[in-house]
Amino acid sequence: MTIKLQDRNPEYWEKLFQMTANVVKQMSDEFERGVKWEYSVPLIDFKRETSGINRSPFITRQGKGCILCMPVGFLKWMDDFVIDMQEYLGSNNGFCVNNGKNDISLWILQNWISWITQHELGHLFNGHYVGDTREWDDWNKFEHFDTLNNDDRLSFEYDADMYAANSFFSGLAYAINIDNRLKNWGEKYFNDLGFIFFVLFTIMEERDPNPLLHLAAYDRLMIFLLRGFKIFETTNNTKPVKEFKAFQLGMARSVMAIGDQGKNLLDKVKNFNHDKITQSIKVLVENKYHIRRLYQMKSDWLRDTNALFYKN
Ligand SMILES: [Zn+2]
């Protein structure tokens, strides 16, 4: 059976941008409540970025708040893989979320974009862009972000990825309790997530094998997986043994679909190094980032350092 994919016409792209804008708006609304935002402009605005076709999404200052810029070229780059994935899956049992037959491009992209956006917001809410006063107006670090030394920059990247895993999986843990569709899909849903996220990490590795502005893809994968399920466990107060297993099976299915590039990424996972994590905690705590948060999440990896990662 083949999945009938939507035409990539102007309406499709408009839907995709609307969906992305909604993801950002929902996050902005939530944080505006959280930090008791008192300005008339949104805390996080959204912009489709047409310049710089090879750019990745980024966050920048705009008046009192900030703006999440999503490059058109970046969405198109992701969308190509979303098409490939579904063409492959059309003849390989598909996903539970579409009964193996409907186009689920927007569902895949929504998940990817949420996590990517959460990473960017992690830099903001973890206090990387502001000075010591923790005031919203104090953005003095913003302009200097690119000139940080390597240790600082890497630590910020760990900090933002930990935040993104936290944000994504705590959201998922809440959703699973209230959304009947998710409840019914159960483990199968986690299998689907494992599949699509392994694809994302593989294409990121391929796009930029030695990233300067982000962690290596295998680091990001491991943090998403291990920190994510730890947060899932803490949020729901139960060990997600079956879900964790299903997610990994989804990843394995993804490796089979992708072939050598997938195996290559999996092979690199052994380089995941806890010393680098310990080092980053040290740098961040020395610079007081555990108390410079603009928004304090329930679990902060700089505070609960003894049980950072999920263990079966
Ligand atoms: Zn980053």
Side-chain angles (χ1 to χ4, degrees):
M1 191 182 354
T2 10
I3 296 170
K4 168 92 183 75
L5 292 175
Q6 300 169 63
D7 288 339
R8 265 47 184 172
N9 53 23
E11 289 87 74
Y12 174 80
W13 295 110
E14 193 50 42
K15 254 196 279 177
L16 183 50
F17 275 108
Q18 272 315 320
M19 189 269 291
T20 310
N22 283 340
V23 166
V24 175
K25 182 165 185 333
Q26 274 180 19
M27 289 181 190
S28 184
D29 288 350
E30 191 187 324
F31 290 119
E32 283 168 30
R33 285 192 297 273
V35 302
K36 302 194 170 50
W37 187 247
E38 54 192 23
Y39 306 108
S40 56
V41 292
L43 202 175
I44 316 151
D45 211 347
F46 169 77
K47 183 180 162 205
R48 55 180 97 180
E49 178 73 28
T50 44
S51 65
I53 212 75
N54 291 320
R55 280 199 88 157
S56 298
F58 60 99
I59 196 165
T60 186
R61 185 182 176 177
Q62 181 187 251
K64 293 282 182 198
C66 62
I67 185 158
L68 193 283
C69 303
M70 180 60 74
V72 178
F74 187 80
L75 284 184
K76 294 204 161 147
W77 169 75
M78 287 196 294
D79 190 62
D80 281 345
F81 294 99
V82 165
I83 294 173
D84 286 353
M85 211 189 304
Q86 292 177 93
E87 282 174 351
Y88 170 84
L89 284 166
S91 49
N92 288 277
N93 293 329
F95 286 104
C96 76
V97 296
N98 67 346
N99 292 324
K101 44 181 188 283
N102 306 322
D103 183 347
I104 47 160
S105 303
L106 291 180
W107 174 78
I108 298 169
L109 288 164
Q110 183 171 11
N111 277 292
W112 287 1
I113 289 165
S114 295
W115 175 74
I116 288 165
T117 305
Q118 284 156 348
H119 171 94
E120 294 306 323
L121 296 185
H123 285 303
L124 174 74
F125 288 115
N126 284 347
H128 303 170
Y129 295 142
V130 293
D132 296 333
T133 62
R134 299 178 69 231
E135 292 299 325
W136 284 98
D137 288 348
D138 179 11
W139 293 76
N140 59 13
K141 274 233 167 157
F142 214 101
E143 284 73 22
H144 308 299
F145 196 58
D146 290 345
T147 62
L148 293 169
N149 75 42
N150 222 24
D151 267 0
D152 284 356
R153 187 163 46 220
L154 270 186
S155 304
F156 281 170
E157 290 310 318
Y158 277 108
D159 206 18
D161 270 358
M162 288 287 190
Y163 176 95
N166 192 335
S167 195
F168 189 92
F169 277 87
S170 55
L172 184 59
Y174 284 121
I176 222 111
N177 290 326
I178 53 168
D179 186 330
N180 280 329
R181 285 187 320 160
L182 291 190
K183 259 187 228 166
N184 290 339
W185 286 325
E187 293 146 47
K188 285 192 224 138
Y189 189 74
F190 286 83
N191 190 302
D192 288 0
L193 284 179
F195 191 108
I196 64 165
F197 272 99
F198 192 84
V199 171
L200 177 63
F201 292 114
T202 307
I203 62 176
M204 286 190 321
E205 165 84 9
E206 191 191 34
R207 182 180 164 97
D208 192 358
N210 299 300
L212 190 63
L213 292 174
H214 286 296
L215 299 177
Y218 66 82
D219 270 333
R220 310 195 76 184
L221 163 65
M222 290 304 274
I223 289 171
F224 185 73
L225 176 70
L226 299 179
R227 183 62 180 160
F229 275 93
K230 180 73 204 172
I231 293 294
F232 192 89
E233 178 185 2
T234 344
T235 312
N236 275 352
N237 207 15
T238 157
K239 240 181 175 5
V241 177
K242 286 181 188 159
E243 291 84 351
F244 186 67
K245 177 111 185 126
F247 192 96
Q248 287 181 305
L249 286 173
M251 283 171 49
R253 197 154 71 106
S254 189
V255 176
M256 286 195 353
I258 302 165
D260 285 347
Q261 283 154 335
K263 286 186 199 126
N264 177 36
L265 176 63
L266 207 54
D267 205 39
K268 288 190 174 173
V269 159
K270 61 177 182 295
N271 299 330
F272 181 63
N273 183 346
H274 283 257
D275 293 346
K276 286 195 281 182
I277 307 252
T278 316
Q279 173 62 17
S280 296
I281 293 174
K282 198 168 154 262
V283 170
L284 292 163
V285 171
E286 271 171 10
N287 289 289
K288 299 203 164 42
Y289 278 97
H290 57 310
I291 46 177
R292 282 163 71 167
R293 303 306 202 208
L294 295 180
Y295 181 83
Q296 188 64 59
M297 293 195 103
K298 237 163 86 192
S299 304
D300 187 328
W301 72 298
L302 296 182
R303 291 171 188 267
D304 43 43
T305 49
N306 56 342
L308 284 181
F309 296 124
Y310 182 75
K311 281 200 188 82
N312 253 336

